[in-house]
């Protein structure tokens, strides 16, 4: 069985002070189904790009596999799907059966091959791009967050598909998905990188045990350290004193004494040095372990509850129609302090309904009624935001105190040195956190959150769930994450044709 060997690999981006990876050593079996996890910005995507040979790392990576990356860049989405596949694979028409075999496993109908790529639903686009990765039998797939934008059924299909494959690394923050798919975990921690055998739950259990024992150790360690320090100081004093004694008496006394003291002092000095070295090593070892504990601080929405009116949104028999797209007829109310979730398959029209409620211009014809309370403050977290520039400017443009945004970003695990970085060169999750921190900081009576959890790491997801459970804001929500929906929704509005 072949392996991928990463030896002494180091890498940092130009503007970084510290290495992102520092003398990393990993050995990966080519048959493993690996989940690559770690908080946003730890370097998951970067590690994949390094394996692909796209970044100038130091050290050695040994492997004879062909690496393939998802998501590929589709240069022109306005071509037929067949054309897009040809461009990405160099596949000849007579070899298209290979793609068709994979598409069948992904439950995608062949007739979408002739459709324009941009008109496919996000779920279908994901599946096409995934199928492409698996036509080479000697391939090792590097799959970067395939579940974003996939609905619940889509996630299941992709999970089943990957489960049937061998030899790949998948990045995802979706626990349910990872648990079904993977048999090994690579975890990028604060201080090091680990490999575990097992799925996400196994990793989480071991990590929790480790964290707990480290907390316990911390208490014991403090005691040990101070005891070791005391001993070391005592010994050092003793040997120093003996040395002084030697110098004082050296001139008059016989050599025997001097020799004896010197010998004893030297021995003690040596012992003291050994102890102090041991203390230093011990402290360093334990402290680096403690630094691997992830910190989860509570976050807060800048939510202002309204006493009046009691209902902020009323939708009656709403239907939006444009060409052959038609959203299902919908009616619902959003009362104050309730979280109302819109649930439905990819492409059913959830975001379209959001935008119509927000009064964003769209080419849709509307039937039915929308009533939104007048003069209320709304905070809108869009599904995809193309944020550019720097955070301070962005906050000021939206009339939000930048310090509040920074404070929220700190709580979301953002390193301070990122505050001045251009948003364009941030990781996917870091970009999402900027958008989220702005929405958290904005004064609001009502939230429109469209897939807030996309790209966010597990800890951030938990922070969001807990904040919403605690504050109970008025919110209209779209998401495909079952944990989130089940934990925080007061009402679920199911959209189906
Ligand atoms: N082109 C770039 N120039 C400078 N810094 C970069 C660049 N790309 C990424 N970074 C930084 O490198 C770090 C790692 O980024 P990377 O995209 O690998 O993280 P990630 O683990 O994939 O995060 P996420 O979960 O958010 O996708 C981040 O701090 C990011 O800001
Ligand atoms: Mg990434």
């Amino acid at each position: 069985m072949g392996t991928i060997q990463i030896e002494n690999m180091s890498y940092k981006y130009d503007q970084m002070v510290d290495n992102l990876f520092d003398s990393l050593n990993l050995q990966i079996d080519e048959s493993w189904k690996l989940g690559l996890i770690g908080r946003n910005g730890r370097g998951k995507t970067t590690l994949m790009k390094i394996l692909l040979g796209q970044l100038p790392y130091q050290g050695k990576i040994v492997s004879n596999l062909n690496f393939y990356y998802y998501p590929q860049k589709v240069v022109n989405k306005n071509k037929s799907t067949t054309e897009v596949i040809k461009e990405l694979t160099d596949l000849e028409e007579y070899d298209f059966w290979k793609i068709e075999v994979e598409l069948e496993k992904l439950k995608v109908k062949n007739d979408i091959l002739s459709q324009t790529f941009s008109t496919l639903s996000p779920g279908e686009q994901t599946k096409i791009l995934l199928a492409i990765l698996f036509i080479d039998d000697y391939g090792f797939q590097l799959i970067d967050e395939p579940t974003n934008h996939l609905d619940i059924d889509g996630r299941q299909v992709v999970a089943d598909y990957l489960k049937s494959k061998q030899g790949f690394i998948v990045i995802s923050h979706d626990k349910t998905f990872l648990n079904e798919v993977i048999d090994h975990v690579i975890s990028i921690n604060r201080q090091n990188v680990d490999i575990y055998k097992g799925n996400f739950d196994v990793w989480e259990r071991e990590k929790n045990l480790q964290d707990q024992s480290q907390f316990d150790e911390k208490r014991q360690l403090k005691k040990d350290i101070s005891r070791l320090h005391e001993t070391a100081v005592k010994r050092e004093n003793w040997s120093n004193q003996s040395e002084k004694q030697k110098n004082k008496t050296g001139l008059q006394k016989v050599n025997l004494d001097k020799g004896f003291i010197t010998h004893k002092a030297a021995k003690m000095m040596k012992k003291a040095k050994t102890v102090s070295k041991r203390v230093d090593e011990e402290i360093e070892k334990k402290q680096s372990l403690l630094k691997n504990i992830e910190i989860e601080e509570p976050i807060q929405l800048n939510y202002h509850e309204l006493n009046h009116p009691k209902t902020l949104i009323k939708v009656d028999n709403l239907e939006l129609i444009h060409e052959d797209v038609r959203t299902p007829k919908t009616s619902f109310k959003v009362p104050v302090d309730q979280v109302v979730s819109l649930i439905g398959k990819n492409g059913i029209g959830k975001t379209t309904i959001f935008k119509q409620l927000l009064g964003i211009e769209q080419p849709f014809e509307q039937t039915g009624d929308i009533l939104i309370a007048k003069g209320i403050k709304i905070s809108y977290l869009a599904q995809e935001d193309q944020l550019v520039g720097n955070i301070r400017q962005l906050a000021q443009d939206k009339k939000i105190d930048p310090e509040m945004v920074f404070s929220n970003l700190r709580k979301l695990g953002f390193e301070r040195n990122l505050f001045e970085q251009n948003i364009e060169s941030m990781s996917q999750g870091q970009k999402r956190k900027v958008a989220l921190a702005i929405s958290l900081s904005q004064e609001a009576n009502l939230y429109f959150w469209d897939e807030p959890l996309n790209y966010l790491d597990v800890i951030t997801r938990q922070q969001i769930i807990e904040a919403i459970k605690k504050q109970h804001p008025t919110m209209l929500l779209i998401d495909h994450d079952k944990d989130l929906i089940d934990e925080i929704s007061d009402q679920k509005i199911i959209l189906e044709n």
Side-chain angles (χ1 to χ4, degrees):
M1 201 60 71
T3 55
I4 302 163
Q5 293 193 42
I6 302 179
E7 292 167 20
N8 265 318
M9 189 276 284
S10 299
Y11 181 73
K12 75 179 192 68
Y13 288 100
D14 282 343
Q15 32 309 44
M16 284 181 167
V17 183
D18 297 323
N19 276 344
L20 192 56
F21 296 106
D22 198 28
S23 303
L24 176 68
N25 290 295
L26 283 182
Q27 186 159 329
I28 295 165
D29 193 292
E30 71 177 49
S31 70
W32 287 350
K33 307 165 192 221
L34 294 130
L36 175 54
I37 62 170
R39 294 206 73 178
N40 297 126
R42 284 281 159 79
K44 300 179 295 300
T45 300
T46 305
L47 184 59
M48 288 191 165
K49 290 188 177 159
I50 288 172
L51 286 172
L52 288 161
Q54 290 175 357
L55 297 172
Y57 61 91
Q58 290 178 328
K60 213 161 95 180
I61 297 179
V62 188
S63 149
N64 53 9
L65 296 163
N66 304 326
F67 291 106
Y68 294 97
Y69 182 72
Y70 165 93
Q72 306 90 321
K73 245 203 191 90
V74 179
V75 185
N76 186 352
K77 291 193 173 184
N78 292 321
K79 288 185 174 172
S80 77
T81 302
T82 304
E83 286 304 314
V84 168
I85 294 174
K86 276 188 191 161
E87 277 179 13
L88 290 171
T89 58
D90 296 326
L91 207 60
E92 298 295 340
E93 202 102 21
Y94 56 80
D95 265 339
F96 257 64
W97 61 270
K98 291 182 180 167
I99 288 280
E100 286 168 16
V101 169
E102 299 305 317
L103 287 179
E104 196 181 321
K105 292 182 200 157
L106 282 160
K107 302 203 161 77
V108 176
K109 291 193 201 93
N110 275 340
D111 50 9
I112 69 166
L113 290 177
S114 54
Q115 265 186 49
T116 307
F117 191 74
S118 62
T119 65
L120 305 184
S121 77
E124 286 166 338
Q125 292 187 6
T126 297
K127 289 173 185 170
I128 293 283
L129 296 180
L130 278 176
I132 288 174
L133 298 195
F134 285 95
I135 52 177
D136 177 358
D137 292 336
Y138 299 96
F140 190 91
Q141 291 74 20
L142 306 172
I143 309 165
D144 196 348
E145 305 208 23
T147 54
N148 290 321
H149 310 308
L150 281 180
D151 56 31
I152 293 171
D153 291 347
R155 280 176 202 206
Q156 190 57 53
V157 171
V158 170
D160 290 339
Y161 179 69
L162 288 182
K163 217 168 12 183
S164 75
K165 302 288 180 187
Q166 270 200 343
F168 58 81
I169 301 178
V170 61
I171 302 175
S172 174
H173 300 291
D174 181 331
K175 296 186 206 178
T176 318
F177 176 82
L178 285 175
N179 274 332
E180 279 203 46
V181 170
I182 61 174
D183 59 20
H184 281 78
V185 170
I186 306 177
S187 164
I188 308 187
N189 308 315
R190 292 176 74 190
Q191 293 284 308
N192 61 0
V193 181
D194 275 336
I195 291 199
Y196 294 78
K197 188 173 186 315
N199 61 11
F200 186 89
D201 279 348
V202 172
W203 170 82
E204 198 173 42
R205 256 198 312 274
E206 285 190 25
K207 175 91 173 101
N208 285 341
L209 281 176
Q210 255 178 31
D211 284 0
Q212 191 48 51
S213 82
Q214 280 167 29
F215 273 125
D216 295 345
E217 256 179 51
K218 187 180 177 181
R219 233 173 300 130
Q220 186 57 39
L221 175 73
K222 273 190 175 158
K223 272 192 219 155
D224 289 354
I225 288 175
S226 73
R227 197 171 42 78
L228 287 169
H229 263 311
E230 255 170 45
T231 321
V233 168
K234 246 189 224 161
R235 280 183 196 277
E236 205 160 329
N237 283 344
W238 196 0
S239 69
N240 282 343
Q241 255 171 21
S242 305
E243 218 22 44
K244 268 190 218 146
Q245 197 76 17
K246 175 200 82 179
N247 289 337
K248 251 192 257 164
T249 54
L251 286 174
Q252 309 119 350
K253 285 243 174 162
V254 277
N255 280 342
L256 184 88
D257 268 351
K258 189 179 153 196
F260 174 72
I261 292 173
T262 308
H263 180 66
K264 201 174 164 197
K267 231 173 123 182
M268 258 191 270
M269 185 81 88
K270 200 171 157 209
K271 228 178 186 171
K273 283 223 173 90
T274 317
V275 172
S276 107
K277 196 168 156 235
R278 209 177 100 213
V279 174
D280 288 348
E281 279 171 3
E282 197 84 338
I283 294 172
E284 196 171 322
K285 197 175 109 209
K286 296 290 162 70
Q287 270 171 354
S288 84
L289 283 176
L290 288 173
K291 280 188 194 145
N292 262 337
I293 296 174
E294 308 284 355
I295 300 152
E296 187 186 321
E297 257 196 88
I299 54 169
Q300 223 182 349
L301 299 108
N302 192 359
Y303 171 56
H304 291 248
E305 184 187 323
L306 286 178
N307 293 324
H308 185 82
K310 290 278 174 233
T311 300
L312 300 192
I313 302 177
K314 238 179 112 186
V315 170
D316 259 326
N317 288 316
L318 178 69
E319 239 182 326
L320 302 167
I321 304 154
H322 176 63
E323 291 173 357
D324 47 1
V325 184
R326 172 190 283 260
T327 64
K329 200 179 257 184
T330 318
S331 302
F332 62 89
K333 285 181 193 160
V334 182
V336 166
D337 291 345
Q338 281 207 9
V339 176
V340 178
S341 295
L342 293 187
I343 295 172
K345 281 182 181 299
N346 283 138
I348 196 111
K350 301 179 296 296
T351 300
T352 308
I353 293 174
F354 252 44
K355 289 185 177 163
Q356 195 75 9
L357 295 180
L358 287 161
I360 296 171
E361 193 144 338
Q362 299 192 104
F364 284 85
E365 204 161 302
Q366 177 185 327
T367 63
D369 293 320
I370 296 174
L371 264 170
I372 297 207
K374 288 217 169 62
I376 59 172
K377 290 186 177 129
I378 297 176
S379 176
Y380 175 40
L381 180 63
Q383 183 174 8
E384 290 285 346
D385 7 45
Q386 307 292 334
L387 300 180
V388 289
N390 76 50
I391 301 170
R392 186 178 298 277
Q393 194 56 51
L394 200 68
Q396 279 162 355
D397 291 348
K398 292 187 183 277
K399 308 219 172 351
I400 305 168
D401 177 9
E403 294 311 320
M404 195 160 175
V405 178
F406 289 144
S407 152
N408 275 317
L409 284 171
R410 283 294 300 151
K411 290 180 190 156
L412 294 169
F414 234 67
E415 311 288 337
R416 226 174 263 283
N417 56 19
L418 273 170
F419 289 170
E420 307 305 326
Q421 186 172 315
N422 261 347
I423 301 172
E424 296 93 303
S425 69
M426 287 181 185
S427 77
Q428 297 270 38
Q430 288 168 339
K431 286 180 189 163
R432 194 66 182 153
K433 280 182 183 175
V434 172
L436 178 66
I438 285 177
S439 183
L440 289 174
S441 307
Q442 222 163 17
E443 199 181 308
N445 314 114
L446 171 65
Y447 295 85
F448 276 71
W449 276 10
D450 194 349
E451 303 200 19
L453 297 194
N454 277 340
Y455 306 111
L456 294 177
D457 59 50
V458 177
I459 291 181
T460 313
R461 287 164 182 239
Q462 206 51 41
Q463 285 173 303
I464 292 177
I465 291 176
E466 262 145 42
I468 294 178
K469 270 163 74 172
K470 192 162 165 220
Q471 286 184 272
H472 250 284
T474 315
M475 180 179 281
L476 195 57
L477 174 72
I478 301 173
D479 211 279
H480 297 296
D481 188 288
K482 233 176 134 326
D483 287 342
L484 176 79
I485 298 291
D486 289 346
E487 284 210 53
I488 68 170
S489 309
D490 297 295
Q491 260 190 81
K492 294 181 194 172
I493 310 299
I494 315 275
L495 301 174
E496 51 195 353
N497 282 320

